[in-house]
Amino acid sequence: MKMFAALSAVLLAPLFGAPAFATDEPAGSGIVARYNFDGGANAGKINDLSGRGGQLTIRGANNGQVAITTQGTSRFASFPGACAATAAATCAKALLEAPDDADLDPGTRNFRWAATVRLTTAQLSGNANVMQKGVATSESQWKMQIGKTGRAQCVMVARGSRQSFVARSAHPVSDGNWHRVVCERVGTTLAVSVDGESGPKTTIPSTLSVENAMPLRIGGPNLAGNGDMYHGQIDDVYAQLG
């Protein structure tokens, strides 16, 4: 398990390329999925560390691959780069996918999802989906996304009404450094934090429920189109109930 003191991580990350971890080390029985990529990929699959989630499968189109990159003492997932809009139909695309799991359907319960991300403004070709379960146009959804302006976005879409709620970080994270992004729903609040610092909060209905039959996806919504694909690096992903 990769653990650094928060200050040391922030200071060393730009020099050595190691992810900058905040202090939200997950613990307790509520962890329902966790992936840190240190074990690499075996036959195209990445193991879950929580004991409750499913393996991630690497999926690609147009020769797109997710590479497990080693840098210093860290290993992380690297996604295909952005390409010109005129070549969208043939752009290499790839994502990581775990099967539908009831533990990842929080309903109205408190829920947290987090990832460490690194990308630049040049790697943004629009919105970039870090992780998600569900789609906004069908049933319900929870999602982490880096928006077009580079700010981290935590999204929840309500089952039934399909009403969407977003909490956005105050500042961009698309600066080429590692940033720890945490999304959290607690009661009637949807919040985002970056590198341990709390950001803006959004009020949501206490009845907002997220339940769907979709898989967990990391790095993009699907392989059918070219929209909302993530083109940077991702490390230490987890989801936690309660």
Side-chain angles (χ1 to χ4, degrees), residues 203-226:
T203 300
I204 61 176
S206 61
T207 55
L208 187 155
S209 179
V210 177
E211 295 179 68
N212 58 66
M214 298 292 292
L216 168 67
R217 287 179 175 149
I218 298 171
N222 54 59
L223 297 173
N226 197 51

Side-chain angles (χ1 to χ4, degrees), residues 52 158 173 212:
R52 295 177 64 176
V173 298
N212 58 66

Side-chain angles (χ1 to χ4, degrees), residues 53-142:
Q55 286 184 314
L56 291 172
T57 299
I58 299 174
R59 297 185 56 212
N62 300 328
N63 297 314
Q65 293 289 328
V66 177
I68 306 303
T69 304
T70 301
Q71 193 167 14
T73 59
S74 295
R75 302 183 84 183
F76 47 85
S78 298
F79 293 79
C83 62
T86 54
T90 56
C91 285
K93 293 170 284 192
L95 54 79
L96 301 169
E97 183 177 284
D100 175 35
D101 189 325
D103 281 341
L104 294 173
D105 291 329
T108 60
R109 292 171 290 179
N110 294 342
F111 192 62
R112 174 185 285 195
W113 58 106
T116 303
V117 301
R118 181 172 68 176
L119 77 168
T120 64
T121 300
Q123 290 173 311
L124 282 170
S125 58
N127 292 325
N129 290 4
V130 178
M131 59 188 297
Q132 69 187 83
K133 189 174 190 296
V135 294
T137 56
S138 176
E139 282 296 325
S140 56
Q141 179 190 66
W142 57 260

Side-chain angles (χ1 to χ4, degrees), residues 169-233:
S169 65
H171 306 288
V173 298
S174 55
D175 57 5
N177 294 314
W178 285 103
H179 294 284
R180 185 63 165 168
V181 181
V182 180
C183 298
E184 188 167 24
R185 183 257 178 92
V186 178
T188 59
T189 299
L190 175 63
V192 58
S193 68
V194 176
D195 299 332
E197 295 186 11
S198 297
K201 298 177 174 61
T202 297
T203 300
I204 61 176
S206 61
T207 55
L208 187 155
S209 179
V210 177
E211 295 179 68
N212 58 66
M214 298 292 292
L216 168 67
R217 287 179 175 149
I218 298 171
N222 54 59
L223 297 173
N226 197 51
D228 297 348
M229 300 302 293
Y230 183 89
H231 302 295
Q233 292 83 42

Side-chain angles (χ1 to χ4, degrees), residues 150-175:
R151 293 194 293 169
Q153 301 182 163
C154 301
V155 181
M156 297 194 87
V157 178
R159 185 178 184 185
S161 70
R162 298 184 186 174
Q163 188 175 6
S164 180
F165 300 87
V166 183
R168 294 182 177 88
S169 65
H171 306 288
V173 298
S174 55
D175 57 5

Side-chain angles (χ1 to χ4, degrees), residues 3-62:
M3 297 181 65
F4 299 86
L7 178 59
S8 297
V10 172
L11 291 175
L12 294 176
L15 293 175
F16 300 105
F21 297 98
T23 56
D24 73 308
E25 184 69 19
S29 60
I31 303 299
V32 293
R34 189 173 188 190
Y35 310 94
N36 70 3
F37 308 106
D38 283 353
N42 184 10
K45 295 186 180 296
I46 296 161
N47 286 333
D48 162 68
L49 303 179
S50 74
R52 295 177 64 176
Q55 286 184 314
L56 291 172
T57 299
I58 299 174
R59 297 185 56 212
N62 300 328

